[in-house]
Amino acid sequence: MKPVRGKVAGVWLAVALACAVPQLLAKKKDNSAANPAPATAAEQKRAVHALNRLTFGPRPGDVQRVEAMGVDAWINQQLHPGKINDAALDARLATFRTLRMSPKEVAENFPDGALVNQVMNGKKPMPSDAAKRAVYQVQIARQQEKREEKHKEKQQQKSEAAGSAVGTAPASNAQPVTADAESGMMSSALKSDENAASTSSGENSMSAARAVSSETNPTTIEDPEAMRRTGQRNEIQKLPDLPPDQRYKKILAMSVDDQVALADAMRGGKGKDFLDGMDARQKETLQAMNNPQGVVTDELLQAKVLRAVYGERQLEEVMTDFWFNHFNVYMGKGPDRLMIANYEQDVIRPRAMGKFEDLLVATAKSPAMLFYLDNWLSVGPNSMKALGITPGRPYAYLPRPNRKPKQVSGLNENYGRELMELHTLSVNGGYSQRDVTEAAKVFTGWTIDKPNDGGGFKYDPTMHEPGPKFILGRRIKPKGEGEGMELLHRLATSPQTAHFISLKLAQRFVSDDPPPELVDRMTKTFLKKKGDIREVLTTLFRSPEFWAEGTYRAKVKTPLEFVASAVRVTGAEVDDALPLARQLGNMGMPLYGAQPPTGYSMKAETWVNSSALLNRMNFALALSNGKIRGVKLDSAQLSGQWALPADSALALPILENNLLAGDVSKQTHDSIAAQILAPQGAQMKNAAAQKKPAPPPANVSVMAGLLLGSPEFQRR
């Protein structure tokens, strides 16, 4: 593909998409039961519709498989994911060890700065395991260097302020921490390392260790003289030549300075030669030496993309994504990054099609939610902790109005508000500010045991507000943790909650503005079946509204749905999912990156604008032309079972059928033809006139990219 042509095509189709915005938004209104699908609708169309709504998009051959199985039978299978073999996906995820770790294990193996400081200052022991120790050693060395640099900067500022007054004594007896003192602290923290005795100390070796910090090729040395003085250059350059196990053992046996130099050489995703052939734990250790927290987030992002692209339990994955947005938490807030994998995998996914109340309780007790909405810090104003009363005193606890309360964090209403506004009743659910405050009191004491260390849920009675609470016109008797469970039960079984959840499910699977009649029927099922999500979905998928003609390709895809569907329909092979995750960030949907509790929107108005659509077109063209790193796409895969004819006029309809089941408007077809077919036609005519060989076959990649960026593919 010539760059100019691809760029022009991208701009053209992005403009076409922007012009189609009114139609995209208007089409959602034409989906009522008054416009049902004809009784003789082709089974293929039903299969396409089911795949577009219950999955992240069809893969090559999926439509035929669903047709052969029967659409209804396939939907029933998806509603029972436990019966679906997902071994292929499990094999892809097997290398991501953090997904199978508890938050506590994640914190220990991939420490943040706070934990590293605790080990460095002797508050926690250095791990005895060689792999863990290497990670801590490098991080401590980097912290040490930062402190030294900060100290030197302060000293320089003092010297400049003093001017010519050299040797002035400090104003107090307090002495600044010197580089030597810092080195002593580090040596103490690393005393368990047998190799530390042979490690050269001092600034010269530390400076030499930095000589490889910014090289594109880890074996290319920025300062050869410094590296030759310490011997680091030769040692590091020889590493990729060693067998993986020997290479790994040698790295663990290195001096701290050499390990720091190696870790610096791997920054920014560099140094992959060092990782070749290693097993999962070995790779993670080397990557963690460079960036411990990055290992956790990278594996989480990759797993999300791979599940969407390769998972056989597609409806379960769609529902997991739905509920994660409904009960959103933000990866960028403190230790939540340690908890999100557990939150999504162990809290949400197993309950994605179970009882809503079970899901509500599980999220309420999840450390990820407790930390995100700050409930773990919420203290009742009349609690023992607020009043400074020690538990176990021989007298009965009575609040003392004249007693000066201890300075504590106080009552936090974040969770109480979002619980009713976003998780259950909805913004119009009939609750008041007083109800929010009372709900916050109910959940005082629902906290986390050592959140920075990956601790779990803990109920602390000393933080709990005593006395009865009055919420939504009803009294909740004092019973500690049981008060929260009672309130969650009331909210989970409320008719307002049943309607709100049914409405959101209909918005995800039917339209941005679903028919009220459908939502009402789903609500009745919700109440009758005690919040059984699978039963509510069954009512939805069997409804005439779901199959109405107006719903077909009427929902605009979110960036995640767009990227996953494009990869799936092309049959691309994903070796590294991180570049795809970064593409989602470019489109305004960084995974686990929604800061507000509302999560990401499902509605078209959020995602349909000229800038966003241009980004989608650029991605589509890059994908079809094999320009996305970590993703392999053979253009021959796009043609299906037969080779595409050289004549683009004949090749284009085949691609339209393979990528969009033939659902391409005349406007889109003619626009692509104007970009591709007309120039090739002129070339063929000239070749025939001059009795020369015919031009090469149609540019499959460009046509595929334009189809993936078309208005039709933007909708599901």
Side-chain angles (χ1 to χ4, degrees), residues 403-707:
R403 185 169 185 169
K404 185 177 180 181
K406 183 181 179 181
Q407 292 297 317
V408 293
S409 54
L411 187 68
N412 191 294
E413 297 182 352
N414 287 352
Y415 180 69
R417 177 175 292 104
E418 308 308 347
L419 171 65
M420 290 189 279
E421 179 179 328
L422 299 177
H423 299 172
T424 56
L425 302 178
S426 83
V427 68
N428 299 315
Y431 60 89
S432 66
Q433 175 56 41
R434 179 185 175 182
D435 294 321
V436 171
T437 303
E438 291 291 284
K441 292 177 181 178
V442 163
F443 289 105
T444 50
W446 287 46
T447 187
I448 311 171
D449 182 22
K450 301 178 182 178
N452 290 306
D453 294 342
F457 170 81
K458 180 180 76 171
Y459 174 71
D460 185 347
T462 68
M463 301 170 67
H464 186 68
E465 177 69 7
K469 285 83 177 176
F470 297 88
I471 303 176
L472 300 171
R474 297 176 65 180
R475 183 175 186 267
I476 294 181
K477 297 179 181 180
K479 49 185 171 183
E481 182 182 349
E483 296 170 24
M485 296 299 292
E486 179 180 340
L487 179 55
L488 291 173
H489 174 71
R490 288 185 184 181
L491 293 173
T493 56
S494 165
Q496 288 92 340
T497 297
H499 183 273
F500 181 50
I501 299 302
S502 297
L503 173 63
K504 289 195 69 174
L505 287 170
Q507 287 174 333
R508 168 57 181 81
F509 289 101
V510 179
S511 71
D512 290 359
D513 187 17
E517 297 84 358
L518 170 62
V519 178
D520 288 344
R521 291 199 305 277
M522 294 169 64
T523 301
K524 290 179 181 178
T525 300
F526 188 104
L527 295 171
K528 181 180 179 180
K529 298 296 183 179
K530 299 181 180 180
D532 191 317
I533 301 165
R534 182 181 287 106
E535 293 290 342
V536 177
L537 289 175
T538 299
T539 297
L540 170 61
F541 297 146
R542 291 178 179 176
S543 70
E545 292 89 348
F546 177 76
W547 297 103
E549 185 69 24
T551 66
Y552 190 72
R553 293 199 186 277
K555 279 285 295 181
V556 173
K557 296 175 182 177
T558 66
L560 174 60
E561 292 166 351
F562 169 69
V563 168
S565 63
V567 175
R568 282 171 66 84
V569 78
T570 57
E573 178 66 24
V574 180
D575 295 328
D576 181 1
L578 276 179
L580 291 174
R582 296 189 185 104
Q583 290 287 335
L584 290 170
N586 296 337
M587 296 178 192
M589 194 179 187
L591 296 176
Y592 310 104
Q595 296 188 39
T598 49
Y600 288 121
S601 172
M602 299 179 288
K603 295 187 176 182
E605 59 193 20
T606 303
W607 306 111
V608 180
N609 59 72
S610 57
S611 175
L613 296 173
L614 181 58
N615 286 334
R616 292 190 182 202
M617 174 55 69
N618 288 336
F619 168 78
L621 289 167
L623 175 67
S624 64
N625 281 276
K627 301 299 183 182
I628 304 294
R629 186 174 64 82
V631 182
K632 298 177 182 177
L633 176 61
D634 183 355
S635 60
Q637 293 175 274
L638 301 172
S639 61
Q641 300 180 20
W642 302 279
L644 289 176
D647 187 346
S648 296
L650 300 176
L652 180 57
I654 296 176
L655 287 175
E656 291 173 346
N657 186 67
N658 291 345
L659 300 179
L660 277 154
D663 296 324
V664 176
S665 67
K666 184 177 185 302
Q667 179 183 358
T668 296
H669 177 89
D670 291 346
S671 298
I672 295 178
Q675 293 289 322
I676 302 295
L677 306 187
Q680 191 194 42
Q683 293 175 5
M684 294 182 71
K685 185 176 181 180
N686 291 337
Q690 299 176 20
K691 297 182 179 180
K692 292 182 178 179
N699 194 329
V700 175
S701 298
V702 174
M703 287 192 292
L706 296 177
L707 286 170

Side-chain angles (χ1 to χ4, degrees), residues 173-427:
N173 293 328
Q175 297 296 320
V177 179
T178 65
D180 290 339
E182 292 285 3
S183 298
M185 291 170 62
M186 179 179 173
S187 297
S188 177
L190 302 181
K191 62 184 179 180
S192 62
D193 182 10
E194 296 178 357
N195 299 298
S198 61
T199 301
S200 60
S201 61
E203 294 183 9
N204 289 337
S205 61
M206 188 63 72
S207 300
R210 295 294 179 272
V212 296
S213 61
S214 60
E215 291 301 309
T216 302
N217 184 337
T219 60
T220 301
I221 307 305
E222 185 181 63
D223 187 352
E225 286 298 321
M227 296 302 295
R228 275 194 291 271
R229 284 196 301 269
T230 61
Q232 290 172 328
R233 177 183 184 182
N234 291 336
E235 289 298 313
I236 291 177
Q237 283 184 331
K238 293 176 182 177
L239 286 174
D241 298 330
L242 297 175
D245 286 342
Q246 290 184 27
R247 188 191 321 147
Y248 180 69
K249 290 178 181 178
K250 189 172 183 64
I251 291 171
L252 294 186
M254 280 180 168
S255 69
V256 177
D257 283 350
D258 287 351
Q259 288 177 341
V260 171
L262 175 63
D264 285 351
M266 297 181 68
R267 280 180 167 173
K270 303 168 186 173
K272 290 190 175 182
D273 287 348
F274 298 123
L275 305 176
D276 285 347
M278 290 186 175
D279 62 31
R281 188 185 184 214
Q282 292 171 340
K283 288 181 179 179
E284 284 178 345
T285 299
L286 265 61
Q287 291 168 333
M289 286 168 61
N290 170 43
N291 183 1
Q293 298 280 288
V295 176
V296 180
T297 56
D298 285 356
E299 292 190 353
L300 182 65
L301 297 178
Q302 291 192 72
K304 178 83 170 181
V305 173
L306 292 174
R307 284 187 172 113
V309 172
Y310 291 110
E312 294 293 337
R313 301 170 180 177
Q314 279 285 290
L315 179 58
E316 180 182 75
E317 201 57 41
V318 166
M319 289 301 299
T320 299
D321 182 63
F322 172 86
W323 289 123
F324 192 98
N325 275 293
H326 185 80
F327 296 106
N328 183 57
V329 299
Y330 173 49
M331 183 169 63
K333 185 172 181 177
D336 256 340
R337 64 171 56 88
L338 303 177
M339 308 169 184
I340 284 184
N342 175 269
Y343 180 65
E344 183 177 55
Q345 184 162 292
D346 297 331
V347 174
I348 294 179
R349 182 171 282 107
R351 301 171 178 85
M353 286 186 281
K355 292 292 184 68
F356 177 75
E357 183 172 350
D358 294 340
L359 179 58
L360 183 66
V361 171
T363 57
K365 287 190 171 184
S366 167
M369 181 64 72
L370 289 166
F371 188 87
Y372 173 61
L373 292 179
D374 304 310
N375 198 82
W376 75 287
L377 296 171
S378 187
V379 177
N382 295 302
S383 66
M384 287 187 283
K385 187 170 185 178
L387 298 178
I389 296 177
T390 304
R393 297 291 289 271
Y395 52 83
Y397 165 66
L398 292 173
R400 299 182 183 181
N402 297 326
R403 185 169 185 169
K404 185 177 180 181
K406 183 181 179 181
Q407 292 297 317
V408 293
S409 54
L411 187 68
N412 191 294
E413 297 182 352
N414 287 352
Y415 180 69
R417 177 175 292 104
E418 308 308 347
L419 171 65
M420 290 189 279
E421 179 179 328
L422 299 177
H423 299 172
T424 56
L425 302 178
S426 83
V427 68

